[in-house]
Amino acid sequence: MKFAQISFFCLLLIISNIIAGTTGKIVGTVKDSQSGDLLVGADVVLEGSGLGSSTDADGYFSILNVPPGSYNLSVHYLGYASVTIEKVRVFIDRTTSQNISLTPESVKGEIVIVEADRSAIELDRTHSSSSVSSETIEALPVTEIEEVIGLQAGVVNTGGQLHFRGGRAREVAYIIDGVSVTNTFRENGGSIVEVDNNMIEELEVISGTFNAEYGQAQSGVVNIVTKRPASSFRFNVKAFSGEWLSNKDGVYLGISDFDPAADRSLEWSVTGPIIPNKLGFVLTGRLRQTESVERFERRFNTIDGWRIAAYRQWANQQSIATGSGQGVIEIPDSLATGNREQGPLNITDYGSLQAKLLFSLTPKINISYQGFGSLEEIEGPFSRTVSEIDQFFRYAPDDFGTTESIRHSHFLRFQHSPSSKLFYNLAASFQREDNDFFYRKDNKIALFPGDTGIQ
């Protein structure tokens, strides 16, 4: 028995470090607006969610395990006018309080509608954090989730890496729907799952004194909760196109040449019910192609390297180099066979497909599946750790190779609320990332100058 108790205690510690908060709570009281008496047995319902509660002997109610989002809260009691509070916002790991007063009536009348207010002082917050809702993300002039995170207090985006409160990028924990998705294989950390902005219901950025439930984090936590299926069919498409433009050609080659389709993106999402009130889905996708701001000018071809190496050896033997055989060897123009064509130093193609299925077995039991998949290909030199691409290839851009990254992740969740005072969530995930770098996948070697294959 003692061994079993110790094992159970250790299991609780492990669970507390891997299951992050994904839901919130609504609490409050219901009373008579004239006498001030607390009302017992009033029905409190979150419209369209299947969640609700009744007031106890003290007129108190609580609704647990509420997914983040905006709801209409309705209160009904016999002999009183019903009240609906609109736009009640629920946040991750937070308690929303709503104290409601009902007016007595002898004959049934119209429903009283009230708009909820957000408290100026949030008494239940114990850490430094900021929450960004889906409505806010939609209104922001951003296209990537990293841009949303970088706008929060205490976060700095340096060279494509997110640093919290001056810490290293690998000290940040990433969580999606309660599952850790931190990339532990990459030195600079980050998330192994790419989430599109139109898939996010709420994004919480915790930058200090985070709770014990968030394990393996030193600088900060990024907690993401994805959208739930809508009760009716909805579809949206978003597209944009643009290009870098400047007159500083001396800094960036060809930056004054404008191509409005150099950076283009297409996003779409569809959601709705498959079986009303039982089974729903969310499906999103994205296609994007970007060209680097760094451009090339083809002064040299790949084959020129052989000629230059032979010329350098001959020049050393002839002591042509400046400084009595030591120093710089100037390359004659005759050895540069490039056509002086300009273009982007690298081109990135990205595509993603993300899906979510939610099955409500009963109002208190939900089962969900999520799939995330993405493919990214980069042709040309690049670097994930610095802000600028390798400039050594700006005058000889050919035959660098292709970098390919394929990711797919699968989440399975079980949510159960056996009573008004208890709920639990179980989650399992499979995550995989494959990275490859190649010049030619057939590995053909050039046998002589001008032959096809690896030079």
Side-chain angles (χ1 to χ4, degrees), residues 355-405:
K356 183 175 185 177
L357 289 174
L358 178 61
F359 178 55
S360 297
L361 189 61
T362 69
K364 296 182 179 296
I365 299 178
N366 291 323
I367 302 173
S368 65
Y369 163 79
Q370 288 178 262
F372 300 86
S374 65
L375 169 63
E376 182 180 51
E377 284 191 352
I378 303 175
E379 295 185 6
F382 82 105
S383 175
R384 292 188 183 275
T385 58
V386 295
S387 59
E388 293 186 357
I389 298 174
D390 192 343
Q391 294 293 307
F392 286 106
F393 294 88
R394 69 185 306 182
Y395 297 121
D398 300 314
D399 303 328
F400 179 83
T402 301
T403 303
E404 185 178 79
S405 177

Side-chain angles (χ1 to χ4, degrees), residues 12 36 51 57 82 85 105 140 200 248 251 284 308 352 373 375 397 400 406 416 437 455:
L12 289 180
L51 300 174
S82 299
I85 303 177
E105 64 171 3
L140 289 173
I200 299 173
K248 305 294 184 181
V251 180
T284 68
I308 293 172
S352 69
L375 169 63
F400 179 83
I406 302 175
H416 185 206
F437 173 74
Q455 304 291 341

Side-chain angles (χ1 to χ4, degrees), residues 43 70 115 124 137 145 159 169 195 253 263 284-285 292 298 308 313 315 319 339 343 355 371 375 389 401 417 439 445:
D43 293 326
S70 183
E115 186 169 334
D124 62 324
I137 295 176
I145 187 174
V195 183
L253 291 173
D263 188 347
T284 68
S292 62
R298 186 178 290 107
I308 293 172
Q313 183 179 4
S319 298
N339 56 11
L375 169 63
I389 298 174
S417 300
Y439 172 64
I445 304 297

